Amino acid sequence: MRYFIQYPAGTSAIVTEAMTHFVEDFHPEYQDDSAMLFRSTSPMERVASIPFAKNAFAVISETRRGDINANVAQLTGSLRTPQFPALPGERARGFRVMVHVDGELAAIGSAHKRELERTISACTGLRLEAGGRGQEYWVIGRLDMDSLMFCARLPKPARPRKARGALSHELSSMLVLASDPHPDDTFLDPFAGSGSFVVARLGMPAREIIYSDLDLAEHREDLPPEAQSDGRVRLLAEDALALPSVADGSVDVVVTDPPWGEHEELPMPYEEFADTTSLSLTRVLRPETGRFVLLCARRGAPAFEESLEKAGLRVAATHDILVNGHPATVFTGTRDAAPQPERETTHTPRRTPAKPLLIGMGTYRRSLNRFSH
């Protein structure tokens, strides 16, 4: 079957590496900065549960792209009842139609839209609920695609409530996956805030998950119940620059998003903050095998890159992404004294990366295959 997914902008390189761990018989047909079209034999339930997918769709029909109204008429004329798949989850009673072209909602002629809605209703037995929460059918076009698609949006699994301003579930999951997760890891986020990375890691086996934030008391009410009741989680109210309760060399992996220094006051100049943070990570990470993923504002990336390497942390790859529209940089790497191959820096998305962009992919594949469901 053909599927279309949308994911956080700028993360296409990471998505390319991760997809084979979530779907069977993966064959990409198109990819851009924030979306991918692919074939797979996996059922719709599995595609819908990809943790970094903002939206997932089953492709029902397509036509060569031209005038939008003519295209909608062509798609409408191509639809037959057998083409509509039995979607996972509880059957909806109603439906609505969305038109999303080149990254934004688009308008089509009212007559063409009414005819499409009548055809969908006749094929599915559903009634139109334009403002409701029923099944969604989308007409989708992308800038570099030569076709327009008619798709059924797949229902997403329920996820914990997010605090205002927290990283999205999709981006949090993607960055945790980029950390090469192992079932026996001790995991740490020293700037945990509302717990986005901790919650993402709770969906994967781990020996211990450490949440640490100096303002734990303030954030506690925003933490989902599982983060406060899961026996693997240790909650600390400690300064990330010291972490007195975390022993030297006791942490396998750190995934964190330190303050960006743009809307909050730091206790020291940004360069000094980056230096101190990097030294703190080096102290707690296991020698030779510790891994890290660090997200920072793009304007602060040069300072953090220099600080990480001065502290003995090896940057294996960088990815320039967008976080709620703001330019950001992701560093992935290890605490490893061995010589490292020249790292690859992804500043613009590419459809086919020349080499793996995630570190430790052999171990990553073995470990993730054990719990990707």
Side-chain angles (χ1 to χ4, degrees), residues 40-327:
S40 172
T41 56
S42 289
M44 288 179 283
E45 293 89 340
R46 188 165 184 186
V47 174
S49 67
I50 294 173
F52 48 79
K54 297 169 69 174
N55 289 299
F57 303 87
V59 180
I60 295 175
S61 184
E62 67 178 321
T63 186
R64 188 168 184 82
R65 186 169 173 177
D67 175 76
I68 182 68
N69 288 306
N71 284 162
V72 170
Q74 292 162 357
L75 290 171
T76 301
S78 71
L79 297 178
R80 302 291 184 271
T81 298
Q83 293 174 274
F84 286 79
L87 300 172
E90 184 178 353
R91 176 176 166 80
R93 296 182 178 180
F95 74 94
R96 64 173 177 168
V97 172
M98 310 287 287
V99 182
H100 198 262
V101 179
D102 299 340
E104 59 185 20
L105 294 176
I108 58 175
S110 57
H112 292 91
K113 187 174 183 180
R114 285 196 300 270
E115 184 60 27
L116 176 59
E117 292 167 345
R118 282 195 292 266
T119 300
I120 294 171
S121 183
C123 289
T124 64
L126 303 178
R127 65 173 182 267
L128 176 65
E129 293 181 359
R133 300 179 59 186
Q135 174 59 43
E136 293 182 2
Y137 292 98
W138 288 41
V139 176
I140 300 175
R142 304 293 289 189
L143 278 172
D144 296 328
M145 289 184 67
D146 59 6
S147 62
L148 205 69
M149 302 177 294
F150 177 75
C151 307
R153 185 175 183 232
L154 302 179
K156 296 176 63 173
R159 290 172 172 169
R161 176 184 59 87
K162 280 279 186 177
R164 183 176 181 180
L167 292 179
S168 68
H169 288 290
E170 295 81 15
L171 183 56
S172 301
S173 296
M174 185 172 295
L175 297 185
V176 168
L177 287 169
S179 72
D180 184 18
H182 299 180
D184 58 350
D185 279 342
T186 293
F187 173 94
L188 166 67
D189 181 359
F191 297 96
S194 59
S196 293
F197 292 137
V198 168
V199 171
R201 188 62 206 252
L202 279 171
M204 310 172 193
R207 179 174 54 191
E208 184 179 27
I209 299 173
I210 304 174
Y211 168 110
S212 183
D213 196 285
L214 199 56
D215 298 322
L216 170 61
E218 176 184 337
H219 294 297
R220 189 183 289 272
E221 66 180 25
D222 292 325
L223 296 177
E226 56 267 38
Q228 303 190 56
S229 62
D230 193 301
R232 296 172 296 166
V233 178
R234 179 157 58 121
L235 300 176
L236 301 177
E238 296 188 351
D239 185 346
L241 307 185
L243 297 171
S245 298
V246 182
D248 294 1
S250 63
V251 172
D252 297 288
V253 58
V254 170
V255 180
T256 195
D257 176 17
W260 287 18
E262 296 181 345
H263 305 292
E264 64 277 280
E265 183 177 349
L266 297 177
M268 59 192 71
Y270 191 83
E271 290 76 10
E272 184 180 349
F273 172 74
D275 287 344
T276 310
T277 297
S278 299
L279 288 170
S280 180
L281 299 189
T282 300
R283 181 186 71 78
V284 301
L285 282 171
R286 295 190 188 279
E288 307 295 330
T289 60
R291 295 104 60 204
F292 69 89
V293 175
L294 185 142
L295 171 67
C296 67
R298 195 171 303 169
R299 63 188 298 179
F304 252 115
E305 181 173 23
E306 181 178 352
S307 295
L308 292 167
E309 296 191 340
K310 283 195 306 184
L313 298 172
R314 306 289 179 169
V315 177
T318 65
H319 306 278
D320 286 347
I321 67 171
L322 294 176
V323 177
N324 297 326
H326 300 287

